[in-house]
Amino acid sequence: MPLSRERKEEYFEKMKSLLTSYTKAFVVEVDNVGSKQLQDTRIGLRGKAEVLMGKNTMMRKIFKDFEKENPGSPICQLAPLCQGNVGFIFTNGDLGEVRAVCEENVRPAPARVGGVAPCDVIVPKGPTGCDPGQTAFFQTLEISTKITKGQIEMTNDTHLITKGERVGASQAALLQKLDICPFTYGLGLKMVYDNGSLFDAKVLDITDDVLAAKVGAAIAMLAKLSLAANFPTQASVPHSVANAFKSILAVTVGLDSFSFEKADAYKALVKPAAAEPAAEE
């Protein structure tokens, strides 16, 4: 049922208000997401973010009008993404928290004939609960089986469906027989908009710990190259100073007539060790 003129105007104003009020947004795919699941996600995001769904043509029209009213607005980068079954989640809070709520609200789902598999499906070996009369069905799918205790048993793990493939009738029937729901559906995070920048949602998998480890490894490599080339850099200078101190300390420990404050503690440790063999003699 098409929206009335009043409802359309209300929707236009709401979306423009969201585009103005928020600086961050997720572009989400909502394939195979039911209304109850979407409502649960809205409830989980209450106070943190706002979910907006709508027709792509309407959303593109709103972006077009918004760009005319706000020339050069970076949020209009989202307009070309209004394709397929998508929506938006607007927030000014932490993107990681919003993503966590979306990922929690997922539901298991059976494989439907003709549907595109969102992941690989591997059926584990073992008893199937099917009677021996259904052996031909498994042979059609080229699945090796044996009869154990009056039922069919799969002898190997079977890679039944590959991610991105369409589910066939036989594959769906097998999963139904085995009572397997291989897929989970929820709001799929597609792209992220953050203060004028647009990037893939996978970037959020890079945590502070990962960044710190990567930067640390890069600094260590830079220090090694600088030391090997005898070319001082900010990364190598601490190591150069430490190596110089070790060299000075080695010379100072062997001298009785010279020392300095930082070397005294080391000389105190070395003297008892040198005195012990002499005492034994």
Side-chain angles (χ1 to χ4, degrees), residues 195-273:
N195 291 293
S197 300
L198 187 65
F199 49 88
D200 195 289
K202 293 179 180 178
V203 173
L204 296 180
D205 293 333
I206 303 175
T207 63
D208 291 342
D209 291 338
V210 173
L211 285 174
K214 294 290 185 182
V215 172
I219 292 174
M221 181 59 69
L222 175 60
K224 290 178 182 178
L225 291 173
S226 300
L227 291 171
N230 198 26
F231 183 84
T233 63
Q234 191 171 357
S236 68
V237 165
H239 299 280
S240 298
V241 171
N243 291 336
F245 175 76
K246 290 177 184 178
S247 299
I248 295 171
L249 181 62
V251 174
T252 303
V253 167
L255 298 175
D256 295 329
S257 59
F258 176 78
S259 184
F260 57 96
E261 182 180 353
K262 297 294 183 182
D264 290 342
Y266 296 96
K267 294 185 75 172
L269 293 173
V270 172
K271 283 183 178 180

Side-chain angles (χ1 to χ4, degrees), residues 182-200:
F183 306 138
T184 56
Y185 292 111
L187 298 184
L189 305 181
K190 186 177 179 183
M191 299 292 289
V192 180
Y193 171 83
D194 186 0
N195 291 293
S197 300
L198 187 65
F199 49 88
D200 195 289

Side-chain angles (χ1 to χ4, degrees), residues 48-254:
K48 300 178 182 177
E50 289 194 52
V51 180
L52 180 74
M53 310 301 299
K55 292 184 177 179
N56 292 335
T57 51
M58 287 179 59
M59 292 192 288
R60 283 196 292 265
K61 177 69 167 60
I62 294 169
F63 274 116
K64 187 176 180 181
D65 293 346
F66 187 82
E67 189 171 17
K68 288 180 180 178
E69 298 169 5
N70 303 272
S73 176
I75 202 168
C76 293
Q77 298 175 79
L78 298 174
L81 301 177
C82 295
Q83 297 180 357
N85 198 9
V86 300
F88 297 98
I89 299 178
F90 294 94
T91 183
N92 283 326
D94 183 71
L95 292 171
E97 291 183 9
V98 176
R99 182 178 72 159
V101 173
C102 294
E103 291 178 345
E104 287 172 2
N105 285 282
V106 296
R107 301 287 186 274
R112 296 185 177 88
V113 178
V116 177
C119 61
D120 290 346
V121 178
I122 298 176
V123 181
K125 64 182 179 180
T128 62
C130 299
D131 62 82
Q134 301 182 56
T135 302
F137 177 77
F138 287 86
Q139 291 176 342
T140 302
L141 292 170
E142 298 181 351
I143 298 174
S144 58
T145 60
K146 64 180 180 179
I147 306 301
T148 305
K149 297 181 180 179
Q151 64 174 320
I152 298 173
E153 180 179 333
M154 295 173 56
T155 57
N156 298 304
D157 292 343
T158 303
H159 193 155
L160 189 65
I161 306 173
T162 302
K163 180 180 178 179
E165 288 183 350
R166 292 196 175 275
V167 180
S170 298
Q171 295 166 329
L174 174 62
L175 293 170
Q176 185 176 3
K177 285 178 182 292
L178 301 179
D179 194 25
I180 294 176
C181 292
F183 306 138
T184 56
Y185 292 111
L187 298 184
L189 305 181
K190 186 177 179 183
M191 299 292 289
V192 180
Y193 171 83
D194 186 0
N195 291 293
S197 300
L198 187 65
F199 49 88
D200 195 289
K202 293 179 180 178
V203 173
L204 296 180
D205 293 333
I206 303 175
T207 63
D208 291 342
D209 291 338
V210 173
L211 285 174
K214 294 290 185 182
V215 172
I219 292 174
M221 181 59 69
L222 175 60
K224 290 178 182 178
L225 291 173
S226 300
L227 291 171
N230 198 26
F231 183 84
T233 63
Q234 191 171 357
S236 68
V237 165
H239 299 280
S240 298
V241 171
N243 291 336
F245 175 76
K246 290 177 184 178
S247 299
I248 295 171
L249 181 62
V251 174
T252 303
V253 167

